[in-house]
Amino acid sequence: MKVHRWKTITALVAAASLALGAGAAPSQAATLVENTLVSTGLSASDLARLPLTDRHLTKHEKANLAVVLRAYHAGEGDVLDAEGFMDLFAEDGVLNGIGGVEGQTSLRGEQLGGLIVWMGGFLPDVHRDLKRITVSGDVVSIELSIQGSFLGPFETPAGVIRPTGAKVDFPTADFWYLRNGKVEVFDCHIAFTTLYAQLGILPDYASAVAASAPKR
């Protein structure tokens, strides 16, 4: 299946930004957005460049997709726009599912921007390959993989793992729930088992077995 890297996403975000009244489009996206009207948002040619399961989107659905694309753009390694990411969420918006070694976590407010900063420190060249996008009303569901180089420290309950430069590429499923053009809930499900294996963090089965053994 064809994978869409950030050169494509950056261009599409530029078109989305026009539709949402955001700032000027990046120069590399100029030819793509030249004929994109503000009132129509993502055009048919824009949508054709995305792995959509259904390209017959309503204007409302296109606007929601544009918000999600801007969120991914804010998290790109050479962008890392924490403030821009936070601004896409509703006042009571929440991100669920980022937990890793400490279990599931819910993030709100400034914590949302903190996630962007943390990811940029851990994987400075982070980018996402969008593999399948489904838009249904106010819900945008995306299958993707998060890729990057382990160039920053990774904190664990046992201490900090120093960077090794290892390349990581782990599957993720994102579910975005929007309300009035803002993200109300973002559920992010990361395949941490795959990530840990690629980082060389092997599970401690012996300790788990010992902890579960009946006491004598």
Side-chain angles (χ1 to χ4, degrees):
M1 179 180 295
K2 184 178 180 181
V3 171
H4 295 252
R5 295 183 177 274
W6 276 102
K7 288 183 179 179
T8 297
I9 300 304
T10 298
L12 292 172
V13 167
S17 297
L18 286 178
L20 297 174
S27 58
Q28 65 267 33
T31 55
L32 174 68
V33 303
E34 184 177 1
N35 297 317
T36 302
L37 300 177
V38 173
S39 60
T40 58
L42 295 171
S43 69
S45 61
D46 297 333
L47 297 176
R49 299 174 66 179
L50 288 170
L52 289 162
T53 58
D54 183 358
R55 302 189 184 283
H56 302 288
L57 304 182
T58 66
K59 182 178 179 180
H60 179 72
E61 290 172 329
K62 291 178 184 178
N64 282 337
L65 176 57
V67 172
V68 171
L69 291 177
R70 289 177 62 193
Y72 284 126
H73 180 68
E76 168 68 346
D78 60 2
V79 179
L80 297 177
D81 182 3
E83 189 69 32
F85 184 75
M86 289 188 294
D87 288 345
L88 296 173
F89 283 74
E91 186 176 350
D92 58 347
V94 58
L95 186 158
N96 298 313
I98 298 293
V101 292
E102 76 274 14
Q104 181 167 322
T105 300
S106 293
L107 306 177
R108 294 177 172 81
E110 295 292 331
Q111 296 173 331
L112 297 167
L115 172 64
I116 298 298
V117 174
W118 173 82
M119 185 67 81
F122 167 43
L123 303 173
D125 58 349
V126 63
H127 68 274
R128 295 159 178 82
D129 283 346
L130 308 186
K131 297 182 177 181
R132 184 184 298 268
I133 302 174
T134 300
V135 185
S136 179
D138 287 325
V139 181
V140 180
S141 306
I142 300 183
E143 298 176 26
L144 65 149
S145 64
I146 300 178
Q147 302 177 344
S149 305
F150 181 22
L151 301 176
F154 187 81
E155 296 184 7
T156 77
V160 176
I161 299 175
R162 307 310 304 175
T164 64
K167 299 295 184 181
V168 298
D169 183 348
F170 50 97
T172 305
D174 288 345
F175 300 90
W176 303 80
Y177 302 87
L178 294 96
R179 182 186 72 228
N180 298 326
K182 292 285 188 176
V183 178
E184 186 173 24
V185 176
F186 171 26
D187 289 339
C188 179
H189 302 278
I190 291 177
F192 277 105
T193 301
T194 301
L195 170 60
Y196 293 156
Q198 293 172 353
L199 294 178
I201 307 174
L202 301 178
D204 186 357
Y205 293 116
S207 295
V209 170
S212 65
K215 297 185 182 297
R216 297 180 179 178

